[in-house]
Amino acid sequence: MPLSDNDLREVQGRVLRMFMDTIATVETIARQADAIYGDRAADVRAAITEYLDDFLRHTEASGEQHPEQLIYETPRQRFQRAGLYGMQLDIKERQVSRVNATLRERLAGGVRRLWQQPFRKWIDVINNFLGSLAPATGMGEALRELKDCLRDELPDEDDEAQA
């Protein structure tokens, strides 16, 4: 069933909550950067801070639109074309919520080898979400790039085994 105008505000709110939940996970990664990234932690934290400042905290200085504004200005048809409605949204919302909660729980428990799999799962699910969010709202590409940097800066499993 197509997305109706009556359901648009609910969809926009759900998408915003998914986005902000993902931001909370990125902030957790920043707080745990020393344990995760070792000598590269300062660079990772700086990249996260830069993203948060430019795209969320200080959009007036960066010239970017705040995510809430972008989401609530997005028309119904764009959410529908991106698969951010109906059962597809239900599934994405459940997946995003689960991987964000799982990764934050694992990181709160201390970084050790067992957190790598949840991190990789987080990357995959968030990539899917951001891949839908970007064409719908025009936002998310910078977060997608940051997420890729976070993934690519992870120490190799061989390095972890030696530590």
Side-chain angles (χ1 to χ4, degrees), residues 15-25 56 66-67 104:
V15 168
L16 179 61
R17 283 187 297 279
M18 291 166 65
F19 179 79
M20 295 308 294
D21 189 37
T22 301
I23 293 299
T25 302
L56 200 68
H66 192 276
R104 286 194 304 259

Side-chain angles (χ1 to χ4, degrees), residues 15 19 51 55 63-75 78-79 81-82 84 129-144:
V15 168
F19 179 79
Y51 169 80
F55 292 92
E64 297 294 333
Q65 285 185 281
H66 192 276
E68 184 173 10
Q69 180 182 359
L70 284 169
I71 288 169
Y72 280 99
E73 288 178 355
T74 300
R78 289 179 67 188
F79 282 108
R81 280 188 218 121
L84 291 170
F129 170 55
L130 296 176
S132 298
L133 187 64
T137 64
M139 64 176 250
E141 278 304 313
L143 182 56
R144 195 173 188 170

Side-chain angles (χ1 to χ4, degrees), residues 58-140:
H58 306 294
T59 54
E60 68 287 345
S62 68
E64 297 294 333
Q65 285 185 281
H66 192 276
E68 184 173 10
Q69 180 182 359
L70 284 169
I71 288 169
Y72 280 99
E73 288 178 355
T74 300
R76 174 188 60 77
Q77 298 85 350
R78 289 179 67 188
F79 282 108
Q80 185 167 311
R81 280 188 218 121
L84 291 170
Y85 76 105
M87 286 307 299
Q88 292 177 71
L89 180 58
D90 291 350
I91 292 168
K92 286 178 185 175
E93 186 175 34
R94 182 175 55 242
Q95 291 170 345
V96 166
S97 177
R98 184 173 44 230
V99 297
N100 278 324
T102 298
L103 185 58
R104 286 194 304 259
E105 287 170 15
R106 293 287 173 96
L107 291 174
V111 176
R112 58 190 179 281
R113 222 181 149 131
L114 294 175
W115 72 272
Q116 283 265 0
Q117 183 59 31
F119 192 89
R120 293 186 196 291
K121 178 74 173 178
W122 179 78
I123 292 290
D124 291 342
V125 171
I126 297 308
N127 207 34
N128 182 27
F129 170 55
L130 296 176
S132 298
L133 187 64
T137 64
M139 64 176 250

